């Protein structure tokens, strides 16, 4: 079986540590990037969004991942990210409140920097809600 070692380290926990067949991550272009065993060595940025891991048994794990980076080296991948949450770990009420706050902040007259911060907060909240609603149990 073609697998690679995968470790996903979030700021508050080790989200995944084991062998994987496939990994799909959101990239900075708004699309997704896939990784299989023996991928070329690389370091790539990771955007906030939906992540999918297929473990060595073929089980798919769907999760929200915050921004960070991935290092793929010698058939081993390490992801360091702000957060990683399973759909049932996402607090839908809190995500909706964050979305509403960010939308309100974007409507207010603020500096360009504050506008971009609000825009990033809005995108993160919307991705959390998307992952939560797409994979409800």
């Amino acid at each position: 079986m073609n697998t690679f070692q995968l470790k996903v380290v979030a700021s508050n926990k080790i989200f995944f540590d084991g062998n994987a067949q496939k990994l799909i991550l959101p990239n900075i272009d708004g699309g997704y990037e896939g990784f299989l065993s023996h991928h070329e060595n690389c370091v790539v940025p990771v955007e906030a969004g939906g992540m999918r891991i297929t473990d060595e048994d073929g089980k798919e794990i769907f999760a929200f991942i915050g921004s960070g980076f991935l290092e793929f080296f010698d058939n081993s991948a390490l992801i360091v990210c702000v957060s990683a949450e399973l759909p049932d770990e996402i607090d839908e009420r809190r995500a909706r409140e964050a979305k509403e706050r960010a939308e309100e902040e974007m409507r207010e007259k603020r500096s360009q920097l504050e506008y971009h911060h609000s825009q990033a907060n809005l995108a993160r909240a919307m991705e959390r809600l998307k992952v939560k609603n797409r994979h409800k149990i």
Side-chain angles (χ1 to χ4, degrees), residues 10 16 27 45 55-56 99 124:
F16 184 89
N27 65 21
D55 71 10
E56 64 186 334
K99 177 182 177 278
R124 198 169 31 258

Side-chain angles (χ1 to χ4, degrees), residues 3-75:
T3 62
F4 60 96
Q5 177 62 35
L6 173 62
K7 188 170 191 175
V8 180
V9 180
S11 60
N12 63 340
K13 63 184 172 186
I14 295 177
F15 178 79
F16 184 89
D17 190 4
N19 289 320
Q21 294 179 27
K22 180 170 47 173
L23 170 67
I24 298 175
L25 294 171
N27 65 21
I28 60 173
D29 296 332
Y32 289 87
E33 192 162 353
F35 298 87
L36 299 171
S37 65
H38 305 291
H39 192 281
E40 70 179 335
N41 295 340
C42 62
V43 175
V44 295
V46 175
E47 280 295 305
M51 169 178 66
R52 184 171 59 189
I53 300 169
T54 305
D55 71 10
E56 64 186 334
D57 299 324
K59 178 184 171 206
E60 289 195 321
I61 301 166
F62 296 96
F64 169 81
I65 186 168
S67 59
F69 72 91
L70 169 133
E71 175 191 55
F72 204 105
F73 181 75
D74 197 22
N75 208 40

Side-chain angles (χ1 to χ4, degrees), residues 16 18 34 79 89 91 103 113 123:
F16 184 89
I79 298 173
E89 295 174 335
D91 184 338
E103 288 171 337
L113 178 63

